[in-house]
Amino acid sequence: MEFRHSYREAQSALEYSTVPGAGRTVYIGDMEPAILDKAEFDEQEERALVNAVKMGSEEEIRSCMEGIFARLESAPPSLNRYQIYLLEMFSALLKIMHAYGLEMEKVFSGNDNIVSVLGGLHTPEEMKRFYTESCVRISELIRRERVDSTKLLAENAKQYIAENYQREDLSVKELSSFLHVSATYFSTVFKRETGMSFVAYLTEVRLQQAVNLLNTTDDKTYVIAQKVGYPEPNYFSYVFKRKFGVSPSKYRSQK
């Protein structure tokens, strides 16, 4: 009469074998009582994982995942608790992906059916490998997204300068406001992407436009100065000479 109970316990033990790993003997009495409250993916662990994925190196991500699975292995929870823990961790990854607009196919090797992906994981080693590689991949895509976004920001800034260099009051504050970023962030990104500060780049654009006008028009130098954003002709001549070694009028006479 008790065979059926033994059979059910054996089935439960077989299910729990995914926790300690394949090839290890499992006694159901060792596993059932081990439903520990600390086997929860709490806020502190989520914050550590999110920070590692968003800002850490690959080594830091792998170290974080090693720590997570080492804790699970040192005090194995029940199977249900173990599954809930992993689902909570996966939910944290989905939040990151959503925040950065990352597509599931790019993260999970072309597979957007995450149920089938998770259902194919049967051992702790497989689970750790899956979560670790997923975190590394998400981190790589985030870095790529940042690079693309900073390049776009620099290109938009250059376009804005090309359309507004004639205005003497064009400033970092105005441009960063137009691009919806802080002035400090804009200045850092712009110099990294162009190799020049905002002021140096604006000056270069203005002087190149001045050269073009000197070569193609008969406008007076003070008129050209105003057209390229320098209301003060003497300052325009000073900046021009510092760049080209001669004054605007001398440059024109040498054509």
Side-chain angles (χ1 to χ4, degrees), residues 198-252:
F198 165 77
V199 172
Y201 183 86
L202 176 59
T203 300
E204 184 72 18
V205 170
R206 284 172 168 170
L207 292 180
Q208 290 301 325
Q209 292 298 326
V211 166
N212 181 57
L213 292 173
L214 287 169
N215 289 333
T216 60
T217 73
D218 294 325
D219 291 343
K220 300 294 185 180
T221 55
Y222 73 88
V223 174
I224 291 177
Q226 292 176 343
K227 285 184 176 181
V228 298
Y230 292 104
E232 176 52 54
N234 289 336
Y235 182 68
F236 167 65
S237 295
Y238 165 76
V239 174
F240 191 95
K241 187 172 183 178
R242 188 176 60 182
K243 169 70 175 177
F244 297 106
V246 295
S247 67
S249 57
K250 187 73 175 288
Y251 179 89
R252 172 176 274 167

Side-chain angles (χ1 to χ4, degrees), residues 160-161 163-176 198-199 202 206 225-232:
Y160 191 87
I161 292 171
E163 295 172 355
N164 296 276
Y165 69 88
Q166 305 95 332
R167 292 177 30 232
E168 61 175 297
D169 60 345
L170 183 59
S171 65
V172 168
K173 182 178 180 180
E174 175 188 339
L175 192 45
S176 59
F198 165 77
V199 172
L202 176 59
R206 284 172 168 170
Q226 292 176 343
K227 285 184 176 181
V228 298
Y230 292 104
E232 176 52 54

Side-chain angles (χ1 to χ4, degrees), residues 106-122:
K106 291 183 178 180
V107 176
F108 304 116
S109 302
N111 194 340
D112 62 352
N113 187 346
I114 197 57
V115 175
S116 65
V117 174
L118 296 177
L121 305 175
H122 302 295

Side-chain angles (χ1 to χ4, degrees), residues 141-203:
L141 292 172
I142 288 174
R143 282 195 292 272
R144 190 180 304 170
E145 182 77 15
R146 285 181 181 144
V147 169
D148 292 343
S149 64
T150 56
K151 287 183 183 298
L152 180 61
L153 184 145
E155 289 302 317
N156 288 338
K158 289 192 287 185
Q159 180 64 32
Y160 191 87
I161 292 171
E163 295 172 355
N164 296 276
Y165 69 88
Q166 305 95 332
R167 292 177 30 232
E168 61 175 297
D169 60 345
L170 183 59
S171 65
V172 168
K173 182 178 180 180
E174 175 188 339
L175 192 45
S176 59
S177 176
F178 172 76
L179 297 169
H180 306 292
V181 295
S182 70
T184 301
Y185 178 75
F186 166 76
S187 297
T188 301
V189 169
F190 189 81
K191 187 166 186 178
R192 185 174 67 232
E193 293 297 330
T194 65
M196 305 171 69
S197 68
F198 165 77
V199 172
Y201 183 86
L202 176 59
T203 300

Side-chain angles (χ1 to χ4, degrees), residues 124-135:
E125 290 76 15
E126 290 177 351
M127 295 173 186
K128 181 169 72 172
R129 187 183 311 113
F130 167 78
Y131 277 92
T132 301
E133 296 306 322
S134 295
C135 288

Side-chain angles (χ1 to χ4, degrees), residues 16-32:
Y16 278 108
S17 67
T18 62
V19 177
R24 295 178 60 181
T25 302
V26 176
Y27 170 52
I28 192 63
D30 290 337
M31 304 303 293
E32 289 289 4

